[in-house]
Amino acid sequence: MIYTVTLNPTIDRLLFLEGTLTKGKNNRLEKIAYDIGGKGHHGSYAMNQQKVKNQALGFCGTTNENKLEKILADKDIQHDFVEVYGKATRESYVILEAEVGGSILITEKGFRVTDYDSELLYEKIESKVQKDDIVLIAGSLPPGFELNDLEDLLNRLKKIGCFIACDLSGEALKKAVEIGVNFIKPNRFEIQELIPSEANFLDRLRELSKKIDYVIVSLGKDGSICSHAGELLQVSTPIVGLVNDTGAGDCFVGTFLASFSLKKPLKECLSLASACAADHIQYSDSTTFSIKAARKLQKKVTIQTLT
Ligand code: ATP
Ligand code: MG
Ligand code: MG
């Protein structure tokens, strides 16, 4: 079983502009769509595409719970959240300009969680997670959930002995590395928190995997590098037309962990993850991809051992 934990969930409001975003002009919308924005939820969606059983955990606000429930139901994402009464799950604005690739993201901070809310989450997690399970903790920490709370959560998971994957950034990523988790996937900016630019990057990456079993640095259109058991694998990514790359990393992580849970060989986990993420960036929302199309793209992914 895989559990995904989204501590600071969000509902994405996709704003499709008629033209390009211009100051001083009335920027008209072509249409609006909604999507889930939580990184763990994106991971769950990706796991579903390989039909790997998973459940999304975390917090959710009650005042707009119906909205989140509807999006999760549309995407068939099984979940069991700690409800935080009288609070609203934050919304993020994803601005998509006509005929321009990429997106502009504007996010709210999210509601404040209390120690009581965190305690309820720990109880839920400890009542569900078993030694053989995989737990993915993804996304930012909400106000009120501090680094020491993350440390508490990670230590409880370590006590259970499950496989811990973290898609975190900044100080939270540093904390996960300090405590020692099994998997991290920093992108090209997030890795700078762990490896300073003046250092010998590949040596440091090798060193990092002595502590963290799987370190995958994702490099956008330049693919990714996986450091595991003293070996470095450079993974290419298929060339596709970029529409919106938000969620590419989440798709990569969800797909990788699903394949990993199915005990697929590492290179297959990596090539499918790369292909699914590449397929995903051709869609305008932050979750969608086609596993069928990705399996075709997978044939184009190359994996080289770096020496
Ligand atoms: P997220 O928005 O989910 O946090 P991220 O910044 O963590 O994304 P990226 O490094 O941008 O993650 O992308 C993850 C993977 O997606 C890459 O390693 C690559 O395989 C694929 N990918 C991203 N951008 C492109 C692109 N422009 N073309 C092809 N593949 C891409
Ligand atoms: Mg990126
Ligand atoms: Mg990311």
Side-chain angles (χ1 to χ4, degrees), residues 39 42 167 185-190 217-224 235-240 242 245-252 273-275 277-279 281:
K39 291 192 155 305
H42 291 165
D167 187 1
K185 192 228 54 73
N187 66 19
R188 66 167 92 231
F189 306 106
E190 290 156 349
V217 181
S218 69
L219 304 163
K221 66 173 175 30
D222 299 317
S224 53
V235 186
S236 76
T237 191
I239 298 165
V240 292
L242 169 69
D245 64 0
T246 307
D250 308 342
C251 174
F252 187 106
S274 198
D279 189 63
I281 69 160

Short mmCIF file of all heavy atoms in Angstrom, two decimals, residues 39 42 167 185-190 217-224 235-240 242 245-252 273-275 277-279 281, ligand 1:
data_model
loop_
_atom_site.label_atom_id
_atom_site.label_comp_id
_atom_site.label_asym_id
_atom_site.label_seq_id
_atom_site.Cartn_x
_atom_site.Cartn_y
_atom_site.Cartn_z
N LYS A 39 0.58 18.30 -3.98
CA LYS A 39 1.62 17.45 -4.61
C LYS A 39 1.40 15.97 -4.34
O LYS A 39 1.63 15.14 -5.21
CB LYS A 39 3.01 17.90 -4.15
CG LYS A 39 3.36 19.26 -4.73
CD LYS A 39 4.80 19.57 -4.52
CE LYS A 39 5.34 20.55 -5.53
NZ LYS A 39 5.17 20.21 -6.91
N HIS A 42 -1.38 14.79 -6.56
CA HIS A 42 -0.86 14.55 -7.93
C HIS A 42 -0.19 13.18 -7.99
O HIS A 42 -0.34 12.44 -8.96
CB HIS A 42 0.18 15.60 -8.32
CG HIS A 42 -0.40 16.97 -8.52
ND1 HIS A 42 0.39 18.10 -8.58
CD2 HIS A 42 -1.67 17.38 -8.67
CE1 HIS A 42 -0.40 19.14 -8.76
NE2 HIS A 42 -1.64 18.74 -8.82
N ASP A 167 9.08 14.62 -1.23
CA ASP A 167 9.22 15.62 -2.29
C ASP A 167 9.01 16.97 -1.61
O ASP A 167 7.92 17.52 -1.61
CB ASP A 167 8.20 15.37 -3.41
CG ASP A 167 8.44 16.28 -4.61
OD1 ASP A 167 9.40 17.09 -4.58
OD2 ASP A 167 7.66 16.22 -5.57
N LYS A 185 13.46 13.72 -4.30
CA LYS A 185 13.53 14.10 -5.71
C LYS A 185 13.58 15.63 -5.86
O LYS A 185 12.61 16.26 -6.26
CB LYS A 185 12.35 13.53 -6.54
CG LYS A 185 12.57 13.68 -8.02
CD LYS A 185 11.39 14.25 -8.78
CE LYS A 185 10.79 15.53 -8.37
NZ LYS A 185 11.58 16.77 -8.66
N PRO A 186 14.69 16.22 -5.45
CA PRO A 186 14.78 17.67 -5.64
C PRO A 186 14.87 18.04 -7.11
O PRO A 186 15.40 17.27 -7.91
CB PRO A 186 16.09 18.01 -4.92
CG PRO A 186 16.87 16.74 -4.89
CD PRO A 186 15.88 15.63 -4.85
N ASN A 187 14.34 19.19 -7.47
CA ASN A 187 14.53 19.68 -8.85
C ASN A 187 15.83 20.49 -8.89
O ASN A 187 16.56 20.57 -7.90
CB ASN A 187 13.31 20.44 -9.37
CG ASN A 187 13.05 21.75 -8.61
OD1 ASN A 187 13.93 22.27 -7.95
ND2 ASN A 187 11.84 22.25 -8.71
N ARG A 188 16.12 21.12 -10.02
CA ARG A 188 17.44 21.76 -10.18
C ARG A 188 17.65 22.92 -9.20
O ARG A 188 18.78 23.27 -8.89
CB ARG A 188 17.66 22.21 -11.63
CG ARG A 188 16.78 23.29 -12.14
CD ARG A 188 17.33 23.82 -13.45
NE ARG A 188 16.78 23.16 -14.62
CZ ARG A 188 17.50 22.64 -15.60
NH1 ARG A 188 18.80 22.67 -15.54
NH2 ARG A 188 16.93 22.09 -16.65
N PHE A 189 16.58 23.51 -8.70
CA PHE A 189 16.72 24.60 -7.73
C PHE A 189 16.82 24.04 -6.31
O PHE A 189 17.63 24.48 -5.50
CB PHE A 189 15.54 25.56 -7.83
CG PHE A 189 15.35 26.08 -9.24
CD1 PHE A 189 14.30 25.63 -10.03
CD2 PHE A 189 16.26 26.97 -9.78
CE1 PHE A 189 14.16 26.07 -11.34
CE2 PHE A 189 16.12 27.43 -11.08
CZ PHE A 189 15.07 26.97 -11.87
N GLU A 190 15.97 23.05 -6.04
CA GLU A 190 15.92 22.48 -4.69
C GLU A 190 17.24 21.80 -4.31
O GLU A 190 17.63 21.83 -3.14
CB GLU A 190 14.75 21.48 -4.60
CG GLU A 190 13.39 22.17 -4.65
CD GLU A 190 12.25 21.30 -5.13
OE1 GLU A 190 12.47 20.17 -5.63
OE2 GLU A 190 11.10 21.76 -5.04
N VAL A 217 17.62 13.75 -8.96
CA VAL A 217 17.58 15.19 -9.22
C VAL A 217 16.90 15.37 -10.57
O VAL A 217 17.39 14.86 -11.58
CB VAL A 217 19.00 15.80 -9.24
CG1 VAL A 217 18.91 17.31 -9.48
CG2 VAL A 217 19.73 15.51 -7.95
N SER A 218 15.77 16.05 -10.57
CA SER A 218 15.08 16.26 -11.85
C SER A 218 15.51 17.60 -12.43
O SER A 218 15.65 18.59 -11.72
CB SER A 218 13.57 16.17 -11.67
OG SER A 218 13.10 17.27 -10.93
N LEU A 219 15.73 17.59 -13.75
CA LEU A 219 16.31 18.76 -14.41
C LEU A 219 15.42 19.25 -15.55
O LEU A 219 15.93 19.67 -16.60
CB LEU A 219 17.71 18.37 -14.94
CG LEU A 219 18.70 17.83 -13.90
CD1 LEU A 219 19.86 17.12 -14.57
CD2 LEU A 219 19.21 18.97 -13.02
N GLY A 220 14.11 19.18 -15.37
CA GLY A 220 13.18 19.66 -16.40
C GLY A 220 13.42 18.97 -17.73
O GLY A 220 13.55 17.74 -17.78
N LYS A 221 13.55 19.77 -18.79
CA LYS A 221 13.72 19.19 -20.14
C LYS A 221 15.05 18.45 -20.30
O LYS A 221 15.24 17.72 -21.29
CB LYS A 221 13.57 20.27 -21.21
CG LYS A 221 14.66 21.31 -21.18
CD LYS A 221 14.55 22.23 -22.35
CE LYS A 221 15.55 23.36 -22.31
NZ LYS A 221 16.84 23.16 -21.65
N ASP A 222 15.97 18.63 -19.34
CA ASP A 222 17.25 17.91 -19.40
C ASP A 222 17.19 16.56 -18.69
O ASP A 222 18.22 15.93 -18.45
CB ASP A 222 18.37 18.78 -18.82
CG ASP A 222 18.54 20.07 -19.61
OD1 ASP A 222 18.50 19.98 -20.86
OD2 ASP A 222 18.66 21.14 -19.01
N GLY A 223 15.99 16.11 -18.34
CA GLY A 223 15.84 14.78 -17.76
C GLY A 223 16.15 14.74 -16.29
O GLY A 223 15.78 15.65 -15.54
N SER A 224 16.85 13.70 -15.85
CA SER A 224 17.13 13.55 -14.42
C SER A 224 18.39 12.72 -14.20
O SER A 224 18.86 12.04 -15.12
CB SER A 224 15.93 12.88 -13.74
OG SER A 224 15.60 11.68 -14.39
N VAL A 235 19.23 10.00 -16.91
CA VAL A 235 18.00 9.59 -17.59
C VAL A 235 17.55 10.72 -18.52
O VAL A 235 17.39 11.86 -18.08
CB VAL A 235 16.88 9.32 -16.54
CG1 VAL A 235 15.64 8.76 -17.20
CG2 VAL A 235 17.39 8.38 -15.45
N SER A 236 17.34 10.41 -19.79
CA SER A 236 16.89 11.46 -20.72
C SER A 236 15.37 11.57 -20.61
O SER A 236 14.71 10.71 -20.02
CB SER A 236 17.28 11.11 -22.15
OG SER A 236 16.42 10.11 -22.65
N THR A 237 14.83 12.61 -21.20
CA THR A 237 13.37 12.76 -21.21
C THR A 237 12.96 13.01 -22.66
O THR A 237 13.69 13.68 -23.39
CB THR A 237 12.92 13.87 -20.23
OG1 THR A 237 11.52 13.82 -20.08
CG2 THR A 237 13.33 15.25 -20.67
N PRO A 238 11.85 12.43 -23.10
CA PRO A 238 11.46 12.61 -24.50
C PRO A 238 11.17 14.09 -24.82
O PRO A 238 10.73 14.85 -23.95
CB PRO A 238 10.18 11.79 -24.61
CG PRO A 238 10.19 10.87 -23.45
CD PRO A 238 10.92 11.57 -22.37
N ILE A 239 11.43 14.48 -26.06
CA ILE A 239 11.15 15.86 -26.48
C ILE A 239 9.67 15.96 -26.86
O ILE A 239 9.18 15.21 -27.70
CB ILE A 239 12.04 16.26 -27.69
CG1 ILE A 239 13.51 16.19 -27.27
CG2 ILE A 239 11.69 17.65 -28.20
CD1 ILE A 239 14.49 16.21 -28.42
N VAL A 240 8.99 16.84 -26.18
CA VAL A 240 7.55 17.04 -26.42
C VAL A 240 7.24 18.53 -26.43
O VAL A 240 8.09 19.34 -26.03
CB VAL A 240 6.69 16.35 -25.32
CG1 VAL A 240 6.79 14.84 -25.38
CG2 VAL A 240 7.09 16.85 -23.94
N LEU A 242 5.81 21.72 -24.91
CA LEU A 242 5.45 22.16 -23.56
C LEU A 242 4.15 22.99 -23.56
O LEU A 242 4.04 23.97 -24.29
CB LEU A 242 6.60 23.00 -22.97
CG LEU A 242 6.29 23.77 -21.68
CD1 LEU A 242 6.11 22.82 -20.51
CD2 LEU A 242 7.39 24.78 -21.38
N ASP A 245 4.29 22.84 -17.42
CA ASP A 245 5.15 21.86 -16.74
C ASP A 245 4.90 21.75 -15.23
O ASP A 245 5.56 20.99 -14.53
CB ASP A 245 6.64 22.11 -17.02
CG ASP A 245 7.13 23.45 -16.48
OD1 ASP A 245 6.31 24.18 -15.90
OD2 ASP A 245 8.32 23.76 -16.66
N THR A 246 3.91 22.49 -14.71
CA THR A 246 3.59 22.36 -13.29
C THR A 246 3.13 20.93 -13.02
O THR A 246 2.27 20.41 -13.72
CB THR A 246 2.47 23.35 -12.89
OG1 THR A 246 2.85 24.63 -13.31
CG2 THR A 246 2.22 23.34 -11.39
N GLY A 247 3.71 20.31 -12.03
CA GLY A 247 3.30 18.95 -11.68
C GLY A 247 4.11 17.87 -12.38
O GLY A 247 3.88 16.68 -12.15
N ALA A 248 5.08 18.27 -13.20
CA ALA A 248 5.91 17.26 -13.90
C ALA A 248 6.66 16.41 -12.88
O ALA A 248 6.75 15.18 -13.00
CB ALA A 248 6.89 17.94 -14.85
N GLY A 249 7.19 17.07 -11.87
CA GLY A 249 7.94 16.37 -10.83
C GLY A 249 7.03 15.45 -10.02
O GLY A 249 7.41 14.33 -9.67
N ASP A 250 5.82 15.92 -9.72
CA ASP A 250 4.87 15.12 -8.95
C ASP A 250 4.49 13.86 -9.72
O ASP A 250 4.37 12.77 -9.14
CB ASP A 250 3.59 15.93 -8.66
CG ASP A 250 3.90 17.27 -8.04
OD1 ASP A 250 5.01 17.44 -7.53
OD2 ASP A 250 3.02 18.15 -8.07
N CYS A 251 4.28 14.04 -11.02
CA CYS A 251 3.94 12.92 -11.90
C CYS A 251 5.10 11.92 -11.92
O CYS A 251 4.89 10.71 -11.83
CB CYS A 251 3.65 13.48 -13.29
SG CYS A 251 3.38 12.23 -14.53
N PHE A 252 6.31 12.45 -12.01
CA PHE A 252 7.52 11.61 -12.01
C PHE A 252 7.58 10.79 -10.72
O PHE A 252 7.76 9.57 -10.74
CB PHE A 252 8.76 12.53 -12.13
CG PHE A 252 10.06 11.80 -12.32
CD1 PHE A 252 10.69 11.78 -13.55
CD2 PHE A 252 10.66 11.13 -11.27
CE1 PHE A 252 11.90 11.11 -13.74
CE2 PHE A 252 11.86 10.46 -11.43
CZ PHE A 252 12.48 10.45 -12.68
N ALA A 273 8.81 6.83 -15.43
CA ALA A 273 8.56 8.11 -14.74
C ALA A 273 8.88 9.28 -15.66
O ALA A 273 8.13 10.25 -15.76
CB ALA A 273 9.39 8.18 -13.46
N SER A 274 10.01 9.16 -16.37
CA SER A 274 10.42 10.23 -17.28
C SER A 274 9.40 10.38 -18.42
O SER A 274 9.02 11.51 -18.79
CB SER A 274 11.80 9.85 -17.86
OG SER A 274 12.43 10.95 -18.39
N ALA A 275 8.94 9.26 -18.93
CA ALA A 275 7.97 9.29 -20.04
C ALA A 275 6.62 9.85 -19.60
O ALA A 275 6.01 10.66 -20.30
CB ALA A 275 7.81 7.88 -20.60
N ALA A 277 6.05 11.90 -17.09
CA ALA A 277 6.20 13.34 -16.81
C ALA A 277 6.24 14.13 -18.12
O ALA A 277 5.63 15.20 -18.22
CB ALA A 277 7.46 13.58 -15.99
N ALA A 278 6.92 13.58 -19.12
CA ALA A 278 6.98 14.26 -20.42
C ALA A 278 5.60 14.30 -21.06
O ALA A 278 5.17 15.31 -21.63
CB ALA A 278 7.98 13.57 -21.33
N ASP A 279 4.87 13.20 -20.96
CA ASP A 279 3.52 13.20 -21.53
C ASP A 279 2.64 14.23 -20.81
O ASP A 279 1.87 14.96 -21.44
CB ASP A 279 2.89 11.80 -21.43
CG ASP A 279 1.59 11.75 -22.20
OD1 ASP A 279 1.64 11.94 -23.43
OD2 ASP A 279 0.52 11.59 -21.58
N ILE A 281 3.34 17.09 -19.41
CA ILE A 281 3.54 18.54 -19.66
C ILE A 281 2.88 19.01 -20.96
O ILE A 281 2.85 20.19 -21.27
CB ILE A 281 5.04 18.95 -19.65
CG1 ILE A 281 5.78 18.36 -20.85
CG2 ILE A 281 5.71 18.58 -18.34
CD1 ILE A 281 7.06 19.10 -21.14
P1 ATP B 1 6.83 20.17 -10.07
O1 ATP B 1 6.12 21.31 -10.70
O2 ATP B 1 5.98 18.94 -10.11
O3 ATP B 1 7.33 20.44 -8.69
P2 ATP B 1 9.65 19.85 -10.64
O4 ATP B 1 10.21 21.22 -10.84
O5 ATP B 1 9.85 19.19 -9.34
O6 ATP B 1 8.10 19.84 -11.02
P3 ATP B 1 10.97 19.12 -13.13
O7 ATP B 1 12.43 18.96 -12.94
O8 ATP B 1 10.49 20.39 -13.73
O9 ATP B 1 10.24 18.84 -11.75
O10 ATP B 1 10.41 17.93 -14.04
C1 ATP B 1 10.37 16.57 -13.62
C2 ATP B 1 10.59 15.66 -14.80
O11 ATP B 1 9.60 15.90 -15.81
C3 ATP B 1 11.93 15.88 -15.53
O12 ATP B 1 12.98 15.15 -14.90
C4 ATP B 1 11.60 15.35 -16.91
O13 ATP B 1 11.69 13.94 -16.94
C5 ATP B 1 10.14 15.78 -17.09
N1 ATP B 1 10.07 17.11 -17.76
C6 ATP B 1 9.96 18.32 -17.17
N2 ATP B 1 9.97 19.33 -18.07
C7 ATP B 1 10.09 18.73 -19.27
C8 ATP B 1 10.16 19.21 -20.63
N3 ATP B 1 10.10 20.51 -20.91
N4 ATP B 1 10.27 18.30 -21.63
C9 ATP B 1 10.29 16.97 -21.36
N5 ATP B 1 10.24 16.46 -20.11
C10 ATP B 1 10.14 17.30 -19.08
#
